[in-house]
Amino acid sequence: GAGVSQSPSNKVTEKGKDVELRCDPISGHTALYWYRQSLGQGLEFLIYFQGNSAPDKSGLPSDRFSAERTGGSVSTLTIQRTQQEDSAVYLCASSLRKTPSDSYNEQFFGPGTRLTVL
Amino acid sequence: AQKVTQAQTEISVVEKEDVTLDCVYETRDTTYYLFWYKQPPSGELVFLIRRNSFDEQNEISGRYSWNFQKSTSSFNFTITASQVVDSAVYFCALSDHGGATNKLIFGTGTLLAVQP
């Protein structure tokens, strides 16, 4: 079956521009996560969606970062006024987690979007 | 606070050697999950194993084995008879149980290079 897909696979932008990164989770997965992988910070959590709501945004590094999810499916991570330190690989993951009382469900990762800010 | 430490930044071995990747974690939770992921040069994170904090039995899967010791807060990963295809970055990760998000806290990764 189809896994998590992300687009674009690579994005080069100029400092100060806005970018949108897209994630298509596995069909039926209610939980969606964004992570960022950068040389200086390693792999870090950004935001978690359960359905269309985001109960945990604690990893978003600044107010230039925002994300939304529609129809309980596709998610978009938006970075406004990009800075060079935003350069990283942005990874999306999805899982079957439905309620906080569920036992752990596996997170399946997409291939990532490599963002380069010049 | 939750934290995962992978002290080995890079390891280089020759094919057929055994290699152990270390992982030490910190958490105040009494119930938690530990993971290992592999990230080959293609970049996609590949799930290898999940272990519940209540299950300290060691696990073996083919050439891979894992040693979980709560007493030392360690979850080490051993590859027996390494192969070139094992070359990748390996991440250890921690997640809470029953928390609101089950987000993963990753270590900084260990780059394993297996030379032919």
Side-chain angles (χ1 to χ4, degrees):
Chain A
V4 177
S5 60
Q6 293 185 244
S7 61
S9 54
N10 279 285
K11 177 71 176 179
V12 180
T13 190
E14 294 179 351
K15 179 181 172 181
K17 301 281 190 183
D18 297 352
V19 295
E20 285 189 353
L21 312 180
R22 177 188 168 107
C23 172
D24 280 275
I26 293 172
S27 178
H29 279 193
T30 57
L32 186 146
Y33 304 79
W34 283 97
Y35 294 87
R36 178 169 74 171
Q37 185 173 18
S38 57
L39 279 177
Q41 302 298 325
L43 254 167
E44 52 183 349
F45 164 81
L46 297 178
I47 188 171
Y48 159 71
F49 284 92
Q50 178 58 36
N52 291 336
S53 63
D56 189 346
K57 307 178 183 179
S58 62
L60 294 178
S62 76
D63 58 8
R64 297 186 295 105
F65 287 72
S66 63
E68 65 174 11
R69 189 178 183 195
T70 55
S73 181
V74 172
S75 176
T76 302
L77 177 68
T78 300
I79 309 173
Q80 295 178 309
R81 305 180 303 281
T82 51
Q83 303 294 313
Q84 289 182 332
E85 61 263 28
D86 300 334
S87 296
V89 176
Y90 289 83
L91 293 163
C92 176
S94 70
S95 78
L96 278 170
R97 182 178 177 85
K98 293 181 180 178
T99 70
S101 60
D102 279 345
S103 60
Y104 196 91
N105 289 309
E106 238 52 77
Q107 291 183 31
F108 295 85
F109 282 82
T113 293
R114 180 175 296 279
L115 175 65
T116 302
V117 182
L118 301 177
Chain B
Q2 296 181 314
K3 183 179 178 182
V4 176
T5 301
Q6 294 180 256
Q8 303 151 309
T9 306
E10 292 186 39
I11 300 176
S12 182
V13 299
V14 177
E15 212 170 14
K16 298 184 183 176
E17 283 186 24
D18 298 347
V19 58
T20 295
L21 309 181
D22 298 332
C23 173
V24 174
Y25 63 92
E26 296 175 29
T27 181
R28 293 179 185 164
D29 296 328
T30 55
T31 305
Y32 49 88
Y33 292 92
L34 295 164
F35 305 80
W36 278 95
Y37 281 85
K38 174 182 180 180
Q39 188 176 45
S42 61
E44 196 156 342
L45 278 170
V46 177
F47 166 79
L48 296 178
I49 190 173
R50 178 188 75 211
R51 179 48 50 92
N52 183 301
S53 56
F54 289 128
D55 181 4
E56 286 194 72
Q57 278 194 330
N58 292 331
E59 182 159 339
I60 297 175
S61 176
R63 296 184 298 106
Y64 295 170
S65 62
W66 290 270
N67 184 351
F68 175 30
Q69 292 194 344
K70 286 181 76 171
S71 61
T72 55
S73 297
S74 65
F75 186 44
N76 297 337
F77 172 31
T78 297
I79 302 175
T80 303
S82 59
Q83 300 176 1
V84 172
V85 293
D86 296 328
S87 296
V89 180
Y90 291 85
F91 290 95
C92 181
L94 168 70
S95 182
D96 62 354
H97 169 75
T101 70
N102 276 173
K103 62 189 176 189
L104 293 169
I105 307 299
F106 287 90
T108 50
T110 297
L111 173 61
L112 174 64
V114 181
Q115 310 296 334

